[in-house]
Structures are given as C-alpha cells and as structure tokens.
Amino acid sequence: MTLDDIVNLVGSFDGTLAQRPREGDGTPELAWGDVFFYYSPDGTVPTSTQPFATIVAKNYPGDELSRLDRPDAFRVNVIAGKQEFERLLGVPPREAAHAPQADTDDTLSAHPQYGTAGWLSVVNPSSQTESQIGELLESAHSVAKARYERRQH
C-alpha cells in the first residue's frame, strides 16, 4: 500500500475530507506533506474535532521511533478506541507501552504518542496489515460520522 492508496481508500468513504497541508496554505510547516482525515460532509476542516485518522511522512520532534526519515516511509494512524485497541493488541490503551511498538514495518502497533488514547499505527502497511488497516479506517470513519450526526441533532 502506498500513501496515495490509503488517501484514495479513505477518500472514497462518504463525507470524508482529506486535509493535505502544504506550503502557503496557512498550516504549520511541520504538518506539510502529512494527511489528516475528518468526517466533514460540508468539506470544511472542523475546528472542534480531531481527525479520525492521519498519515505522517516524517519524524516529528520526540516521535522518531518509526524512522520516517527513510525514503518513502510513512505511518498510518487511526483512532480505534479502548475496546478495539485491547482486542487487537492484548493490553488496554493505558498500558500502550507494553503493546507492540511502531518501530517495525507492516505491523499493527500502539501509536508512539497517542497509544494511551486508543490510537493504533502501522508503519509502511503492506500485505500483513492491508485488510486490517482498511477495516480500522472504515470503523473510525463510521464512529466519526455517528458522532457528527449526534451533534447535528
């Protein structure tokens, strides 16, 4: 799977906005080249909700574990929630330090910074994790959509 494969997959989910920060758009330089996925049927970046998934293509300060400074390396991050996190990794999010870490390609792991909040990650997803990451992205989209719809009523 390439970064663009994932952008295209998530972009096919109804109401999804993929924000791709770049130079000159007012976003912080640190975010340029990354992708943030929101449920936003009106096509505007929400100001009061977090993305349901992200793709990062470089190391962030304090987040070098995944070695994203390698050519074509990227990490998919998706909110899974407490129950799904524990079901998939065998420990609750509060014990994310004891879960698989995001230092190995194509392996489902705890997010290096937000694992304790129920976020999962895959560095350079490929054959081992392709279907799993697709299911997680669909599920996170569904939760974000339901949350959006509750707020509208």
Side-chain angles (χ1 to χ4, degrees):
M1 292 183 93
T2 67
L3 187 148
D4 287 332
D5 290 338
I6 295 166
V7 170
N8 292 335
L9 170 67
V10 180
S12 72
F13 303 160
D14 72 298
T16 297
L17 170 67
Q19 180 191 29
R20 297 185 88 164
R22 61 187 182 285
E23 185 174 358
D25 68 2
T27 57
E29 183 176 349
L30 185 60
W32 297 351
D34 296 336
V35 187
F36 302 85
F37 298 103
Y38 299 90
Y39 181 78
S40 180
D42 67 4
T44 61
V45 176
T47 57
S48 61
T49 61
Q50 295 293 316
F52 65 84
T54 66
I55 302 173
V56 293
K58 66 188 141 324
N59 292 331
Y60 276 66
D63 180 11
E64 295 87 14
L65 181 68
S66 302
R67 301 176 333 275
L68 299 178
D69 52 352
R70 298 173 284 153
D72 299 319
F74 67 95
R75 186 179 67 224
V76 179
N77 309 298
V78 60
I79 181 70
K82 292 177 186 178
Q83 291 178 328
E84 191 69 357
F85 185 101
E86 186 168 2
R87 183 182 77 77
L88 291 168
L89 297 185
V91 297
R94 70 179 176 277
E95 297 176 20
H98 302 290
Q101 300 299 300
D103 59 354
T104 304
D105 287 359
D106 201 22
T107 301
L108 189 65
S109 59
H111 186 284
Q113 303 291 322
Y114 304 111
T116 55
W119 280 78
L120 297 171
S121 294
V122 177
V123 178
N124 296 329
S126 190
S127 59
Q128 286 187 156
T129 57
E130 183 173 0
S131 64
Q132 198 169 36
I133 200 71
E135 291 168 10
L136 286 165
L137 289 164
E138 284 186 50
S139 177
H141 169 264
S142 294
V143 169
K145 180 179 178 179
R147 185 173 294 128
Y148 174 90
E149 289 172 348
R150 279 194 307 275
R151 286 190 191 127
Q152 300 305 306
H153 299 294

